[in-house]
Short mmCIF file of all heavy atoms in Angstrom, two decimals:
data_model
loop_
_atom_site.label_atom_id
_atom_site.label_comp_id
_atom_site.label_asym_id
_atom_site.label_seq_id
_atom_site.Cartn_x
_atom_site.Cartn_y
_atom_site.Cartn_z
N LYS N 31 89.54 99.73 66.66
CA LYS N 31 89.14 100.89 65.87
C LYS N 31 88.42 101.88 66.79
O LYS N 31 88.91 102.94 67.10
CB LYS N 31 88.26 100.45 64.69
CG LYS N 31 89.07 99.67 63.65
CD LYS N 31 88.41 99.65 62.28
CE LYS N 31 87.28 98.67 62.21
NZ LYS N 31 86.81 98.45 60.83
N LEU N 32 87.19 101.49 67.25
CA LEU N 32 86.37 102.38 68.08
C LEU N 32 86.52 102.03 69.56
O LEU N 32 86.62 102.89 70.41
CB LEU N 32 84.91 102.15 67.66
CG LEU N 32 83.89 103.26 67.72
CD1 LEU N 32 84.29 104.38 66.78
CD2 LEU N 32 82.52 102.69 67.31
N SER N 35 85.28 96.21 71.19
CA SER N 35 84.40 95.38 70.37
C SER N 35 84.59 95.63 68.88
O SER N 35 84.03 94.93 68.06
CB SER N 35 82.93 95.66 70.72
OG SER N 35 82.69 95.37 72.07
N ASP N 36 85.35 96.63 68.54
CA ASP N 36 85.48 97.04 67.14
C ASP N 36 86.95 96.89 66.75
O ASP N 36 87.78 97.74 67.05
CB ASP N 36 85.04 98.51 67.01
CG ASP N 36 84.93 98.95 65.56
OD1 ASP N 36 84.96 98.07 64.68
OD2 ASP N 36 84.84 100.16 65.32
N ILE N 37 87.26 95.78 66.08
CA ILE N 37 88.66 95.45 65.87
C ILE N 37 88.98 95.21 64.39
O ILE N 37 88.12 94.91 63.58
CB ILE N 37 89.06 94.19 66.68
CG1 ILE N 37 88.14 93.00 66.34
CG2 ILE N 37 89.04 94.48 68.18
CD1 ILE N 37 88.51 91.70 67.04
N ASP N 42 92.54 91.09 57.98
CA ASP N 42 91.59 91.96 57.25
C ASP N 42 92.34 92.76 56.20
O ASP N 42 91.91 92.90 55.06
CB ASP N 42 90.92 92.97 58.21
CG ASP N 42 89.98 92.34 59.21
OD1 ASP N 42 90.46 91.84 60.24
OD2 ASP N 42 88.78 92.36 58.97
N GLU N 65 85.80 98.20 53.42
CA GLU N 65 85.68 98.52 54.84
C GLU N 65 86.93 99.19 55.39
O GLU N 65 86.82 100.18 56.11
CB GLU N 65 85.38 97.26 55.67
CG GLU N 65 85.45 97.57 57.17
CD GLU N 65 84.73 96.59 58.06
OE1 GLU N 65 84.47 95.46 57.65
OE2 GLU N 65 84.43 97.00 59.20
N GLU N 66 88.09 98.68 55.08
CA GLU N 66 89.29 99.18 55.75
C GLU N 66 89.92 100.38 55.06
O GLU N 66 90.68 101.11 55.66
CB GLU N 66 90.33 98.07 55.93
CG GLU N 66 89.81 96.77 56.57
CD GLU N 66 89.07 96.96 57.90
OE1 GLU N 66 89.27 97.99 58.57
OE2 GLU N 66 88.27 96.07 58.24
N ASP N 81 83.92 93.70 51.74
CA ASP N 81 84.27 93.48 53.15
C ASP N 81 85.31 92.37 53.16
O ASP N 81 84.99 91.22 52.89
CB ASP N 81 83.03 93.10 53.96
CG ASP N 81 83.32 93.20 55.45
OD1 ASP N 81 84.50 93.18 55.84
OD2 ASP N 81 82.35 93.28 56.24
N PRO N 82 86.56 92.70 53.47
CA PRO N 82 87.63 91.70 53.38
C PRO N 82 87.46 90.55 54.37
O PRO N 82 87.84 89.42 54.07
CB PRO N 82 88.90 92.49 53.65
CG PRO N 82 88.45 93.71 54.38
CD PRO N 82 87.07 94.03 53.89
N ILE N 83 86.94 90.85 55.56
CA ILE N 83 86.53 89.80 56.50
C ILE N 83 85.29 90.32 57.22
O ILE N 83 85.38 91.26 58.01
CB ILE N 83 87.60 89.45 57.55
CG1 ILE N 83 88.85 88.85 56.89
CG2 ILE N 83 87.03 88.47 58.58
CD1 ILE N 83 89.95 88.46 57.89
N ASP N 84 84.15 89.74 56.94
CA ASP N 84 82.95 90.09 57.71
C ASP N 84 82.83 89.06 58.84
O ASP N 84 82.77 87.86 58.58
CB ASP N 84 81.70 90.07 56.83
CG ASP N 84 80.50 90.54 57.64
OD1 ASP N 84 80.57 91.64 58.18
OD2 ASP N 84 79.53 89.77 57.77
N GLY N 85 82.81 89.57 60.07
CA GLY N 85 82.84 88.66 61.23
C GLY N 85 84.23 88.64 61.84
O GLY N 85 84.72 87.59 62.26
N THR N 86 84.85 89.80 61.91
CA THR N 86 86.24 89.88 62.41
C THR N 86 86.36 89.37 63.85
O THR N 86 87.36 88.75 64.20
CB THR N 86 86.75 91.33 62.29
OG1 THR N 86 86.70 91.70 60.92
CG2 THR N 86 88.17 91.46 62.78
N THR N 87 85.34 89.62 64.67
CA THR N 87 85.41 89.14 66.06
C THR N 87 85.47 87.61 66.09
O THR N 87 86.26 87.02 66.84
CB THR N 87 84.21 89.66 66.87
OG1 THR N 87 84.25 91.09 66.84
CG2 THR N 87 84.27 89.19 68.31
N ASN N 88 84.67 86.96 65.25
CA ASN N 88 84.75 85.49 65.15
C ASN N 88 86.13 85.06 64.66
O ASN N 88 86.73 84.13 65.20
CB ASN N 88 83.71 84.96 64.16
CG ASN N 88 82.32 84.94 64.77
OD1 ASN N 88 82.16 84.92 65.99
ND2 ASN N 88 81.31 84.92 63.92
N ALA N 97 83.53 85.67 56.65
CA ALA N 97 83.49 85.54 55.20
C ALA N 97 84.08 86.75 54.50
O ALA N 97 84.05 87.86 55.02
CB ALA N 97 82.04 85.35 54.75
N THR N 152 70.19 87.36 64.99
CA THR N 152 70.29 88.81 65.18
C THR N 152 71.73 89.16 65.55
O THR N 152 72.62 88.31 65.50
CB THR N 152 69.29 89.30 66.25
OG1 THR N 152 69.29 90.73 66.26
CG2 THR N 152 69.62 88.78 67.64
N GLY N 153 71.95 90.42 65.88
CA GLY N 153 73.27 90.87 66.31
C GLY N 153 73.13 92.08 67.22
O GLY N 153 72.03 92.64 67.34
N PHE N 154 74.22 92.47 67.84
CA PHE N 154 74.19 93.59 68.77
C PHE N 154 75.18 94.66 68.31
O PHE N 154 76.29 94.32 67.89
CB PHE N 154 74.51 93.11 70.19
CG PHE N 154 73.54 92.07 70.64
CD1 PHE N 154 73.86 90.72 70.56
CD2 PHE N 154 72.26 92.43 71.06
CE1 PHE N 154 72.94 89.75 70.92
CE2 PHE N 154 71.34 91.46 71.42
CZ PHE N 154 71.67 90.12 71.35
N PRO N 155 74.78 95.92 68.37
CA PRO N 155 75.62 96.97 67.78
C PRO N 155 76.95 97.16 68.50
O PRO N 155 77.06 96.92 69.71
CB PRO N 155 74.74 98.23 67.87
CG PRO N 155 73.66 97.92 68.81
CD PRO N 155 73.51 96.44 68.87
N VAL N 156 77.93 97.59 67.75
CA VAL N 156 79.29 97.71 68.26
C VAL N 156 79.44 98.84 69.27
O VAL N 156 80.36 98.86 70.08
CB VAL N 156 80.27 97.85 67.06
CG1 VAL N 156 80.22 99.26 66.50
CG2 VAL N 156 81.66 97.45 67.42
N ASP N 157 78.47 99.79 69.29
CA ASP N 157 78.53 100.89 70.26
C ASP N 157 77.71 100.59 71.52
O ASP N 157 77.31 101.49 72.25
CB ASP N 157 78.06 102.20 69.62
CG ASP N 157 76.62 102.13 69.10
OD1 ASP N 157 75.99 101.06 69.22
OD2 ASP N 157 76.14 103.15 68.58
N ARG N 181 73.11 84.13 67.34
CA ARG N 181 73.92 85.33 67.14
C ARG N 181 75.23 84.82 66.54
O ARG N 181 76.14 84.42 67.25
CB ARG N 181 74.16 86.02 68.48
CG ARG N 181 74.62 87.47 68.43
CD ARG N 181 76.03 87.66 67.98
NE ARG N 181 76.44 89.05 68.20
CZ ARG N 181 76.76 89.90 67.24
NH1 ARG N 181 76.80 89.49 65.98
NH2 ARG N 181 77.09 91.14 67.54
N LEU N 182 75.30 84.81 65.18
CA LEU N 182 76.45 84.20 64.52
C LEU N 182 77.63 85.16 64.40
O LEU N 182 78.77 84.72 64.30
CB LEU N 182 76.07 83.71 63.12
CG LEU N 182 74.98 82.64 63.03
CD1 LEU N 182 74.85 82.18 61.57
CD2 LEU N 182 75.27 81.45 63.92
N GLY N 183 77.35 86.48 64.32
CA GLY N 183 78.45 87.44 64.31
C GLY N 183 78.99 87.82 62.95
O GLY N 183 80.01 88.50 62.86
N SER N 184 78.32 87.42 61.89
CA SER N 184 78.69 87.88 60.54
C SER N 184 77.41 88.12 59.77
O SER N 184 76.67 87.18 59.44
CB SER N 184 79.54 86.84 59.81
OG SER N 184 79.51 87.07 58.40
N ALA N 185 77.13 89.38 59.48
CA ALA N 185 75.89 89.71 58.76
C ALA N 185 75.84 88.99 57.42
O ALA N 185 74.78 88.52 56.99
CB ALA N 185 75.80 91.22 58.56
N ALA N 186 77.01 88.89 56.76
CA ALA N 186 77.04 88.23 55.44
C ALA N 186 76.64 86.77 55.56
O ALA N 186 75.83 86.26 54.78
CB ALA N 186 78.43 88.38 54.83
N VAL N 187 77.22 86.08 56.56
CA VAL N 187 76.89 84.66 56.75
C VAL N 187 75.43 84.51 57.20
O VAL N 187 74.70 83.65 56.70
CB VAL N 187 77.86 83.99 57.75
CG1 VAL N 187 77.41 82.56 58.07
CG2 VAL N 187 79.28 83.99 57.21
N ASP N 188 74.99 85.36 58.13
CA ASP N 188 73.60 85.31 58.58
C ASP N 188 72.64 85.36 57.39
O ASP N 188 71.72 84.55 57.28
CB ASP N 188 73.28 86.52 59.49
CG ASP N 188 73.79 86.35 60.91
OD1 ASP N 188 73.42 85.36 61.55
OD2 ASP N 188 74.54 87.22 61.39
N TYR N 200 66.39 87.05 60.00
CA TYR N 200 67.54 87.74 60.61
C TYR N 200 67.24 89.22 60.67
O TYR N 200 66.63 89.77 59.76
CB TYR N 200 68.78 87.49 59.75
CG TYR N 200 69.95 88.42 59.97
CD1 TYR N 200 70.71 88.37 61.14
CD2 TYR N 200 70.31 89.35 59.00
CE1 TYR N 200 71.79 89.22 61.33
CE2 TYR N 200 71.40 90.20 59.18
CZ TYR N 200 72.12 90.13 60.35
OH TYR N 200 73.20 90.97 60.53
N GLU N 202 69.24 93.01 62.21
CA GLU N 202 70.35 93.66 62.93
C GLU N 202 70.34 95.14 62.62
O GLU N 202 69.88 95.56 61.56
CB GLU N 202 71.70 93.01 62.56
CG GLU N 202 72.86 93.54 63.41
CD GLU N 202 74.11 92.68 63.45
OE1 GLU N 202 74.08 91.52 62.99
OE2 GLU N 202 75.13 93.17 63.98
N MET N 203 70.87 95.94 63.55
CA MET N 203 70.96 97.39 63.38
C MET N 203 72.42 97.78 63.23
O MET N 203 73.31 97.03 63.62
CB MET N 203 70.39 98.12 64.60
CG MET N 203 69.05 97.59 65.05
SD MET N 203 68.30 98.58 66.36
CE MET N 203 69.55 98.62 67.62
N ASN N 204 72.62 98.98 62.69
CA ASN N 204 73.95 99.60 62.72
C ASN N 204 74.98 98.85 61.86
O ASN N 204 76.15 98.75 62.25
CB ASN N 204 74.44 99.70 64.17
CG ASN N 204 75.41 100.85 64.36
OD1 ASN N 204 75.35 101.83 63.62
ND2 ASN N 204 76.29 100.74 65.33
N LEU N 205 74.54 98.37 60.73
CA LEU N 205 75.47 97.70 59.80
C LEU N 205 75.95 98.71 58.75
O LEU N 205 75.44 99.82 58.65
CB LEU N 205 74.75 96.53 59.12
CG LEU N 205 74.30 95.43 60.07
CD1 LEU N 205 73.32 94.48 59.37
CD2 LEU N 205 75.48 94.65 60.63
N HIS N 206 76.94 98.27 57.98
CA HIS N 206 77.44 99.09 56.87
C HIS N 206 77.16 98.40 55.55
O HIS N 206 76.94 97.19 55.49
CB HIS N 206 78.95 99.31 57.02
CG HIS N 206 79.31 100.28 58.10
ND1 HIS N 206 79.93 99.90 59.25
CD2 HIS N 206 79.12 101.61 58.19
CE1 HIS N 206 80.13 100.97 60.02
NE2 HIS N 206 79.63 102.02 59.40
N TRP N 208 79.07 97.45 53.17
CA TRP N 208 79.93 96.32 52.81
C TRP N 208 79.57 95.04 53.56
O TRP N 208 79.88 93.96 53.09
CB TRP N 208 81.42 96.66 53.05
CG TRP N 208 81.68 97.30 54.39
CD1 TRP N 208 81.71 96.68 55.60
CD2 TRP N 208 81.93 98.69 54.65
NE1 TRP N 208 81.95 97.58 56.60
CE2 TRP N 208 82.10 98.83 56.04
CE3 TRP N 208 82.03 99.83 53.84
CZ2 TRP N 208 82.35 100.06 56.64
CZ3 TRP N 208 82.29 101.04 54.44
CH2 TRP N 208 82.46 101.16 55.82
N ASP N 209 78.91 95.17 54.72
CA ASP N 209 78.50 93.97 55.46
C ASP N 209 77.41 93.21 54.71
O ASP N 209 77.30 91.99 54.86
CB ASP N 209 77.93 94.33 56.85
CG ASP N 209 78.94 95.01 57.76
OD1 ASP N 209 80.11 94.59 57.77
OD2 ASP N 209 78.55 95.96 58.47
N ILE N 210 76.56 93.92 53.99
CA ILE N 210 75.30 93.33 53.53
C ILE N 210 75.06 93.40 52.02
O ILE N 210 74.09 92.85 51.52
CB ILE N 210 74.10 93.99 54.24
CG1 ILE N 210 74.12 95.54 54.11
CG2 ILE N 210 74.12 93.64 55.72
CD1 ILE N 210 73.08 96.07 53.22
P1 2AM M 1 82.66 93.12 60.68
O1 2AM M 1 83.06 91.91 61.38
O2 2AM M 1 83.10 93.17 59.26
O3 2AM M 1 83.05 94.39 61.38
C1 2AM M 1 78.14 91.54 63.73
O4 2AM M 1 77.23 92.09 64.61
C2 2AM M 1 78.09 92.26 62.42
O5 2AM M 1 78.26 93.66 62.65
C3 2AM M 1 79.22 91.84 61.50
O6 2AM M 1 78.73 91.74 60.19
C4 2AM M 1 80.24 92.94 61.66
O7 2AM M 1 81.07 93.15 60.56
C5 2AM M 1 79.36 94.13 61.87
N1 2AM M 1 80.11 95.14 62.56
C6 2AM M 1 81.04 94.98 63.45
N2 2AM M 1 81.61 96.13 63.85
C7 2AM M 1 80.97 97.06 63.19
C8 2AM M 1 81.07 98.47 63.16
N3 2AM M 1 81.95 99.16 63.84
N4 2AM M 1 80.21 99.12 62.40
C9 2AM M 1 79.33 98.44 61.67
N5 2AM M 1 79.23 97.11 61.61
C10 2AM M 1 80.02 96.42 62.38
#
Side-chain angles (χ1 to χ4, degrees):
K31 291 201 282 191
L32 211 63
S35 300
D36 189 13
I37 55 177
D42 292 82
E65 172 160 20
E66 309 307 338
D81 193 340
I83 296 181
D84 184 56
T86 300
T87 301
N88 283 338
T152 188
F154 302 98
V156 77
D157 60 359
R181 197 287 190 244
L182 299 186
S184 161
V187 173
D188 281 304
Y200 163 71
E202 187 161 349
M203 312 187 305
N204 208 26
L205 297 167
H206 286 111
W208 47 75
D209 298 319
I210 53 108

